[in-house]
Every structure is written in C-alpha cells, then in structure tokens.
Amino acid sequence: MDDLIGLTINNYQIEEKLGQGGMGIVYRARHPILEIDVALKVMRPDLADQEGFYGRFEREAQTIARLQHPGIVGVTNFGQHDGVTYLMMDYVEGPSLRALLQDSPFGLPLEAALRLTIEMAQALNYAHGKVVLHLDLKPDNILLDASEVRRGEAHDDCPYRPVITDFGLAKLLVAPGVAIEATMLVGTPHYMSPEQCTGEALDERSDIYSLGVMLYEILTGQRPFPVTSIVDAVRYHTTQIPDPPSAHMSTLPAALEDLVLRMLAKPPDQRPSSGEEVADTLAGLLGSPTPVLEERVPAVAPAADAAVVTPTGQVAWSADRAPVYIQVVYEGRQLDRFPMNAESIIAGRLPTCDLRLEAGDRLVSKRHCEICRRNGEMMVRDLHSTNKTYLNDAELTPDVLTPWPARAAVRVGLFTLTWALSQTGELGRAPEPPQAEPGPRGDSPTIKCENGRPRTLRLSQEPVIVGRLPACDMVVANAAVSKQHCQLRWDGRQVEVSDLGSTNGTFLGEERLESGRWCPWQPDTPLRIGPYAIQLD
C-alpha cells in the first residue's frame, strides 16, 4: 500500500506513510491549494474482503464522528476511492506518547505526567459521556499535539496536548454506567483490564484500568507487569499485584501512588468510577501547596562518567573505587575493563553513551541497553535495540530489567560483556563523593539551567551535550527539548554553542541558531532551548 503515495483522494494528495495499525495504514495527505494536512487511514487490502471488516471500519468512522473534543482526534470524511476505503482525520503534528516514553526511560517529570494524564482522563470522561468505550488505550494511540508549542500557549512543563486516536476497538454502551458483554478478547496485552482478559462485561472502568497502566508507565518508565503474550496478560492482570510505583520512584507522593493502585485494582468497583474522578484527583495534587512537584531523582539514576558532572543527589563511585568493572570483548579479543562508577549506565554506539561500543558496524544501536545495580544485584535491560540484547543465549525483552548473574555474558552485536567485582568487593551503595574545592579565578565557566539535571555544569574544550536523553551531559526532561538539543564548549577565551538539529530550535536572544554551526555566546545574551533558559556563570 506504499504505492498510494502520490495518489489524490478527495482533493488531498498522499505524501508520506505515518504508521500502521490493526486495520489500516495511516498516511499524511495535503491539500495542495489550501495547504492543509490531514491523516488518512486506509483499510488494509488483505482485510477489506474479509467478512465484517468493512462494517468495523465504518463503525470506527461513525464512533469518532460523534466525538467532538480537543483531546480526541476528529474525523472529517469517510468513503471509498477506486476501491480504497479511507477515513480522513485531523492531522496531529507531534510524536506519540510511546515515542516520548522511549526517550524517557525513567519516566516523565512529575508535573508533565500529571498534566498529560489529566487531559487524557478528561477526554476519556467525555467519550464515556457519549456512551463510547475505547478499549485499546496505550501510549501508541496517544498523539502529542505540538501546535501549542508554536503558538507559545503550552505550559512550560507540558508542551504537548494529548490526543486520543484509534477507536478501532471502541464499543457503544447502552448508557453511561451500563456494562456491555464482551464476546471476545479485545485490547493490547500490556494494557488490558482484568475483565477484558477474561471476556467479562465491560464498562468505563475498563478504560480507567488501561489509563492506570499508562500512568504507572509515564511516572516510572516501566509497565506494572512484564507481559509478553496474551497468556501473560491473563495471569498478571487477573491475579498479580503490581509493585507500588514508589519501588521505582522513591519520591512519588503517597496520594498519587494511592490513585495509581486504585486504578489498577482487580475488581472494577474498587477503581475510580470515572475519568472525571481521576482528573479531579490529579488536579488536586497539581495545585497542592505541599512540595509534591519538586524535582525527583529516579530510583535508577542517569549515568555519569568522568567527563560528566554528577547530578545533584546522584551518588557515584570514582573510577579507582568502582565496585564493578565491565569487561568488554570484541570478537574474542579483550578490549577494555570499564569501571562502572554510577548506579546506571547506558551502553551503545553514541559518543554520549557511558559505555561506547563502536567497531565500524551498525549491529550496536545508538542507545542499546542499560546496565544498573539495584538492591545489591546487577541488572540489564534492552532499550528497544534493532539487533536485540542477549543474556547468554536468551533474548531480553525490551524495557524489562533482568538479573545479570556473575559469569553470565551479555551480547551486544559482536561485543560480549561480563562483569566482575573490584577490590571494594561488594555491590552496595556508593560513598558520598568528596566535595570539590572552588576553583581559582579564571577557571572555565559554568552553565546553569534550573530544570536541568545537573542544574550546573562546567564547560571545557570537550563539547557538552544538552538534551532529553538520559545519556546527555545535562538532561532537560521536557518534550519540547530534543533528544540531543545543543552542545556547548569553552576554548579558553570564548563560550560557543551549536544547535544539533533540534526540532524547536536553539535561540540566542531572538535569533534561531543554524544547525551544526558554532556561534559565540556572550553572557548578556539569553540562551533558550524549548521553554527553558540556560544561563552562563
């Protein structure tokens, strides 16, 4: 169906493929005169002739058409063109929530997590009021509208407006609060409610459960259950109690954790009764005068090495006191012994990775896997790498922390990693690093960003990277900040800054910097990335 690119349907020319779902392929199409983009969902040809699928596609169009809410994608047309059945919808310019979470392995900043979930709960409450259940809520089906960023109307900590899409599994209730019978398993295993797993009656609280799974993941970077199949889904969702979110994020407010666990209750009558109740509870936390929105340090801290300033609050070992060394072997040849001097490190191909695995091939992904110490145990997890991460010969499930026993081998492309204890002899918590003495006058300058982690960072001739990825030297965890947004350096006389092809631009005063070009930065000129200012001290 890629052959549809260039085809004109209802005056809109198909320009690119955006993604693929269970029933159709989604394209971006553009009106050449009005210069308006739409999302065009086309029924897959292998399904078009199967009995019942056209009716299901038609019902999706009818369902979305009855929902008029800024948090729900709007439908503008439906029909057939030369045998192609299509659904035309509003085009949402921005990433999916899934893409945002993949770049935020420790979860989103707390205020952003609350604001996003409030808006999703409000949109869900509206749909339920129109007697529509979604039944397939997941981060892949949440698009993040970036138009408010361009208009300057977005909140600093939440620059995107979530928009719920893909109502392909939606069902119509008889009336709000009246359950419907489920005749088959529907949904995505990671996010299915217990009653979806067992084929029991469904109501609004089934969507509330799925929203609870998403909120757990948004807050912690991890799903509550390591589901890999429908069999796992039935077992975990119907019988297993999840670890409390605070097990992954120690500073989570107690009231928020209580709400998440209520949303994930097995019996529907123990969950919040509506999206409105969820939104109101979260709004109360957001407006609370108590310090629930202070910057948090993840339970597994971002990585740091000798060239990176350790974030405030993160405890790290110096290289000569690291309790663990990672031994790196390439095609049978011992390359290096890497001191693991932080509680978590990222291994991959990028120069900003803590453990860089570069051998001229592309078998190693840019950010391939995470290695961490947790409760005295070595752990490893794949970060959605292209060629997978293997523990001995077992393929690791992406995003799932797996124990890494001593003498076991982790395989990353053609690299083999093993770990061994150094002279410290234990995997316990690191000692507090010594406090650095203030440098003499004339030392290299520092940059400061109130929302950065760390807040201050000393510059050198080696460029430092500012961006959203945990492996950046200064992490600014906001969706308006690109993965690697800009870089800065000090040549002994002048501070220079260079944009790294960021989406929203790097600005010196009112001037947007040209990507890839170093520009001098004077202290009296403000530097801005996304909604944040970086100061030069």
Side-chain angles (χ1 to χ4, degrees):
M1 291 182 69
D2 290 339
D3 295 340
L4 297 182
I5 293 178
L7 178 68
T8 297
I9 295 180
N10 195 30
N11 296 322
Y12 286 85
Q13 185 177 42
I14 297 177
E15 294 192 346
E16 67 172 319
K17 179 180 176 181
L18 298 177
Q20 183 168 330
M23 290 194 301
I25 300 176
V26 181
Y27 298 91
R28 181 181 61 81
R30 187 171 183 82
H31 196 293
I33 298 176
L34 300 179
E35 297 184 342
I36 296 174
D37 290 327
V38 296
L40 199 68
K41 185 173 183 178
V42 177
M43 182 186 289
R44 285 169 42 191
D46 58 316
L47 300 177
D49 295 332
Q50 295 185 22
E51 183 179 357
F53 268 92
Y54 178 82
R56 181 172 163 185
F57 201 68
E58 186 177 40
R59 284 194 301 275
E60 178 179 0
Q62 293 171 339
T63 299
I64 303 177
R66 67 191 293 167
L67 302 176
Q68 304 293 322
H69 189 279
I72 297 174
V73 69
V75 62
T76 58
N77 208 335
F78 176 79
Q80 291 184 316
H81 176 89
D82 290 343
V84 175
T85 302
Y86 66 89
L87 172 64
M88 191 174 290
M89 300 171 289
D90 293 335
Y91 174 68
V92 179
E93 184 179 353
S96 68
L97 180 57
R98 168 66 65 215
L100 185 59
L101 291 176
Q102 287 174 346
D103 294 337
S104 306
F106 305 111
L108 302 184
L110 187 53
E111 185 163 348
L114 295 184
R115 292 187 185 277
L116 283 174
T117 310
I118 286 171
E119 295 196 40
M120 287 190 287
Q122 290 170 338
L124 201 58
N125 188 67
Y126 169 85
H128 293 165
K130 296 293 184 180
V131 297
V132 175
L133 298 182
H134 190 283
L135 299 183
D136 197 20
L137 287 171
K138 55 185 176 182
D140 312 73
N141 289 340
I142 307 297
L143 297 181
L144 301 175
D145 185 3
S147 61
E148 294 183 3
V149 176
R150 296 193 305 274
R151 294 197 303 266
E153 298 173 3
H155 191 278
D156 282 354
D157 292 288
C158 188
Y160 291 143
R161 174 171 55 84
V163 179
I164 302 175
T165 67
D166 202 342
F167 280 76
L169 298 181
K171 291 185 178 293
L172 300 181
L173 295 160
V174 176
V178 178
I180 58 174
E181 294 300 321
T183 58
M184 59 180 293
L185 296 182
V186 293
T188 300
H190 285 292
Y191 303 92
M192 291 169 63
S193 67
E195 54 271 25
Q196 283 177 274
C197 292
T198 56
E200 298 176 5
L202 308 175
D203 62 18
E204 296 95 327
R205 295 166 297 184
S206 296
D207 281 341
I208 296 297
Y209 183 93
S210 300
L211 184 63
V213 177
M214 284 202 297
L215 179 54
Y216 190 108
E217 187 173 4
I218 291 169
L219 289 169
T220 69
Q222 301 188 47
R223 302 186 187 106
F225 301 116
V227 173
T228 59
S229 66
I230 192 64
V231 175
D232 282 348
V234 173
R235 176 165 64 91
Y236 282 108
H237 291 307
T238 61
T239 64
Q240 301 295 311
I241 304 299
D243 290 335
S246 57
H248 309 288
M249 178 184 163
S250 59
T251 58
L252 190 76
L256 180 55
E257 177 166 271
D258 177 69
L259 174 65
V260 174
L261 295 178
R262 284 200 299 124
M263 295 172 73
L264 295 178
K266 307 302 182 189
D269 59 4
Q270 293 183 13
R271 300 174 205 152
S273 60
S274 66
E276 182 180 20
E277 181 181 346
V278 173
D280 287 348
T281 303
L282 293 174
L285 289 171
L286 195 60
S288 172
T290 58
V292 300
L293 298 178
E294 292 180 346
E295 180 186 5
R296 61 185 173 90
V297 177
V300 181
D305 60 25
V308 178
V309 176
T310 302
T312 303
Q314 178 183 340
V315 179
W317 286 265
S318 60
D320 61 345
R321 297 189 62 188
V324 175
Y325 280 85
I326 306 297
Q327 301 180 24
V328 182
V329 175
Y330 179 70
E331 291 189 318
R333 186 174 77 255
Q334 177 83 35
L335 294 184
D336 199 6
R337 294 177 72 243
F338 177 84
M340 186 168 170
N341 58 359
E343 293 186 2
S344 170
I345 64 173
I346 302 296
R349 202 174 72 233
L350 284 178
T352 50
C353 287
D354 307 287
L355 178 54
R356 188 182 183 194
L357 304 175
E358 175 60 60
D361 54 51
R362 288 296 182 266
L363 297 178
V364 178
S365 293
K366 295 178 181 178
R367 297 174 66 256
H368 200 105
C369 64
E370 176 195 12
I371 300 168
C372 66
R373 294 188 297 270
R374 177 172 293 181
N375 299 324
E377 185 176 21
M378 290 291 288
M379 311 283 283
V380 60
R381 68 170 166 178
D382 182 77
L383 297 176
H384 292 273
S385 63
T386 301
N387 295 303
K388 313 299 181 183
T389 305
Y390 295 85
L391 182 59
N392 289 332
D393 293 322
E395 179 183 317
L396 297 183
T397 302
D399 287 334
V400 176
L401 279 172
T402 302
W404 182 6
R407 294 182 293 278
V410 167
R411 183 159 50 88
V412 176
L414 299 179
F415 293 88
T416 300
L417 312 179
T418 57
W419 65 269
L421 293 173
S422 63
Q423 291 90 340
T424 58
E426 61 179 19
L427 292 174
R429 188 165 179 79
E432 292 288 345
Q435 297 296 317
E437 293 295 329
R441 293 182 63 86
D443 277 358
S444 60
T446 59
I447 58 173
K448 178 180 179 181
C449 179
E450 289 299 328
N451 296 84
R453 193 169 59 231
R455 286 191 175 93
T456 60
L457 183 64
R458 186 168 294 279
L459 299 179
S460 66
Q461 292 183 346
E462 183 70 22
V464 298
I465 307 294
V466 179
R468 202 172 71 231
L469 286 179
C472 289
D473 301 309
M474 176 181 282
V475 179
V476 182
N478 186 289
V481 176
S482 293
K483 299 176 185 178
Q484 291 186 311
H485 199 104
C486 66
Q487 57 182 339
L488 302 102
R489 68 185 182 190
W490 161 254
D491 64 2
R493 303 180 307 277
Q494 176 70 57
V495 176
E496 296 179 312
V497 59
S498 172
D499 182 78
L500 293 174
S502 63
T503 301
N504 296 314
T506 304
F507 292 83
L508 274 177
E510 298 301 320
E511 178 186 358
R512 179 167 180 164
L513 299 185
E514 180 183 343
S515 178
R517 179 182 176 185
W518 287 102
C519 298
W521 178 23
Q522 302 301 329
D524 56 349
T525 303
L527 175 64
R528 179 171 57 84
I529 60 171
Y532 298 119
I534 298 179
Q535 299 172 341
L536 181 61
D537 292 334

